[in-house]
Amino acid sequence: MVSDNNEECPVCKMSEDLKTSRTKGKKVYTCQRCGIFSISDVAILQEQWKEKSTELSGWLRERHERGIEIQTLTPSNLPHILAELPQHTPLEKQLKLLESIELKTHYPGHKVYINYEFDISLAWVKNKEEFVFYLKALLERGLIGDNESTSNTSSQNSLNMLDYALGIKPFITAKGWEYLEAKASNNTDKVQVFVAMSFDNELNSVYENVIKKAINSTGYRACRADSEPDLGRIDEKIIVEIKKSRFVVADLTQQNSGVYFEAGFAMALGLPVILCVNKDDLKNVHFDVRQFNCILWEKNEEDDFKNQLETSILYNIGRRN
Ligand SMILES: [Zn+2]
C-alpha cells in the first residue's frame, strides 16, 4: 500500500488519506469515503459511473461497513451494478445515516465519531452541506443526540454541531432505538426479498432467468448472498439481509443445510417463505413440504417456473407498488 498525494479516488474524487496498491490488471483503493474496493484498469479509464458517482460511493461504503464482499469492478459488471443502484429519498438517506450510526455503536449510549468529509457516503449524499442537513434532521427529530448531558432537541443542541470543524460524536437516543426497532418490525414497506439457494452453475441460471425476474416483475428486489458461505457457517450478513427482507424465496434443490437454516430462520421471524424445489429432487426434501407453499419446477421449463413463482408472490404477499 502506498499513499500518493497526487492521486484521487476514481469514484468520489477525494485524495485525502487515499491508499492504493496494484495487482495484475487492477488497482485496490482504500478510500476513507468509499471503503476498500478494486477496479480493473480498463474500468478506471472508462469511468462509466460518472453520472452516479455519489450512489456508487454510497453503495461501496455500505458494503464495506457491513462486511459484504465486493467483486472487482469491471466494464462487464459495472453496467449491471449501476443500473441497480437505488435513488434514495431524503427520508431514506436519513435512515441510512441512522443505521450507519447504529452499526458503529457498540452499546447504547456509545458516542461514535462521524467525520464530515469521510462519512458523507454513509448517507449516500453529494456533499457536506446535504450531509449536515440530514444530521441536523436526525437531531431535530430527537433520534440522535450530540451532547453528553442531554438528549433533547433544543435548538442550541442542534447548532452546537456546526461548531465542530471536522465532525461530531452523536449517539442514538432512546427515541432513536425505539424508531429503529419499530422500523425493523414494520415489514410491509420493505422492497428486498432474500433468496436462499445452493451455489451451483446450473442453479445460477435458474436464479438469473427465473427467480430474480419473477421477484422484479412483482415490484421487489432480489438479494442473494454474493459468495458461497463457508460450509456450516451462517454469516452475520445473511442474518442481517433476511431481517431486512419482506419475504424469502428458498429453493431446496440440492438439500443445502444453509438454505434450510435460512428458511427456518425467516419463518421464525414471521416472514412469508416461498419454497421451491426441482421436481426430481422432491423425494430428497428433508421435511414434509406439503403443509407449505412449495413450487415444483422442471429443467428447461423456465417460463412455467417463473409464472408459478409470480403467481405465488402475488397470491401470498401481493404486488409492491
Ligand atoms: Zn472514494
Side-chain angles (χ1 to χ4, degrees):
M1 283 278 170
V2 290
S3 282
D4 183 343
N5 289 335
N6 300 319
E7 200 167 8
E8 58 183 26
C9 168
V11 177
C12 73
K13 304 295 179 195
M14 195 178 72
S15 55
E16 207 179 330
D17 286 348
L18 184 75
K19 291 185 177 62
T20 61
S21 69
R22 162 165 292 288
T23 51
K24 200 180 163 199
K26 66 176 185 185
K27 214 165 180 181
V28 181
Y29 290 87
T30 304
C31 171
Q32 296 291 336
R33 197 179 277 162
C34 306
I36 301 172
F37 61 97
S38 61
I39 311 188
S40 76
D41 292 338
V42 188
I44 294 174
L45 287 174
Q46 291 186 353
E47 239 188 312
Q48 292 164 311
W49 53 81
K50 240 178 185 165
E51 306 291 314
K52 285 191 162 183
S53 54
T54 301
E55 289 79 11
L56 183 59
S57 177
W59 183 81
L60 288 168
R61 178 67 180 270
E62 184 172 304
R63 294 175 88 79
H64 175 75
E65 292 288 322
R66 293 188 181 277
I68 301 172
E69 192 189 327
I70 306 168
Q71 296 172 334
T72 298
L73 303 176
T74 64
S76 55
N77 65 19
L78 266 165
H80 175 71
I81 291 171
L82 295 172
E84 301 266 307
L85 284 177
Q87 297 279 340
H88 291 302
T89 65
L91 210 56
E92 286 170 340
K93 289 178 182 178
Q94 279 181 48
L95 181 62
K96 285 280 172 203
L97 182 53
L98 187 62
E99 284 174 344
S100 297
I101 296 172
E102 182 190 17
L103 210 60
K104 290 175 180 292
T105 299
H106 295 162
Y107 50 87
H110 182 204
K111 296 167 86 179
V112 302
Y113 181 63
I114 296 290
N115 181 295
Y116 291 149
E117 292 296 332
F118 298 160
D119 291 330
I120 60 169
S121 51
L122 296 177
W124 296 57
V125 301
K126 275 199 164 26
N127 53 40
K128 181 176 162 183
E129 200 177 6
E130 190 185 358
F131 186 65
V132 169
F133 175 83
Y134 294 126
L135 268 176
K136 283 183 78 171
L138 289 175
L139 274 166
E140 281 162 13
R141 293 169 71 191
L143 301 178
I144 59 170
D146 76 332
N147 188 312
E148 208 166 355
S149 60
T150 174
S151 63
N152 68 24
T153 59
S154 71
S155 59
Q156 194 194 357
N157 193 18
S158 53
L159 288 174
N160 278 347
M161 184 174 68
L162 299 173
D163 295 342
Y164 298 85
L166 293 172
I168 61 164
K169 291 185 81 177
F171 60 92
I172 297 177
T173 60
K175 195 176 169 192
W177 289 113
E178 217 172 282
Y179 177 82
L180 284 167
E181 210 164 292
K183 196 81 195 159
S185 58
N186 178 10
N187 195 25
T188 51
D189 62 349
K190 288 176 181 168
V191 65
Q192 176 165 293
V193 175
F194 188 84
V195 179
M197 64 193 297
S198 290
F199 282 86
D200 170 89
N201 274 343
E202 209 168 290
L203 288 175
N204 285 346
S205 79
V206 171
Y207 171 72
E208 288 295 333
N209 298 330
V210 179
I211 297 179
K212 195 172 162 185
K213 284 184 180 169
I215 289 171
N216 287 347
S217 76
T218 48
Y220 299 92
R221 198 165 60 216
C223 163
R224 186 186 182 194
D226 278 354
S227 55
E228 188 162 8
D230 297 342
L231 284 176
R233 185 173 145 262
I234 304 294
D235 281 271
E236 177 65 20
K237 71 184 180 195
I238 288 180
I239 300 287
V240 171
E241 294 305 331
I242 293 174
K243 282 182 174 171
K244 275 164 54 186
S245 296
R246 173 72 180 88
F247 63 97
V248 169
V249 174
D251 187 83
L252 302 173
T253 309
Q254 296 185 359
Q255 320 305 313
N256 180 300
S257 59
V259 174
Y260 278 89
F261 174 86
E262 287 152 28
F265 179 71
M267 285 177 185
L269 286 178
L271 295 184
V273 177
I274 296 176
L275 298 172
C276 24
V277 66
N278 183 300
K279 214 170 188 175
D280 299 335
D281 211 18
L282 177 63
K283 58 184 181 298
N284 302 318
V285 167
H286 285 207
F287 55 84
D288 186 354
V289 295
R290 278 173 300 187
Q291 59 175 309
F292 302 105
N293 302 304
C294 188
I295 296 169
L296 302 181
W297 57 270
E298 288 181 79
K299 245 184 221 171
N300 307 321
E301 296 284 348
E302 290 190 341
D303 283 346
D304 177 65
F305 183 17
K306 184 164 170 278
N307 282 338
Q308 285 198 73
L309 185 52
E310 280 172 357
T311 306
S312 178
I313 292 171
L314 295 176
Y315 180 77
N316 291 295
I317 295 104
R319 181 182 297 280
R320 186 180 189 277
N321 296 312

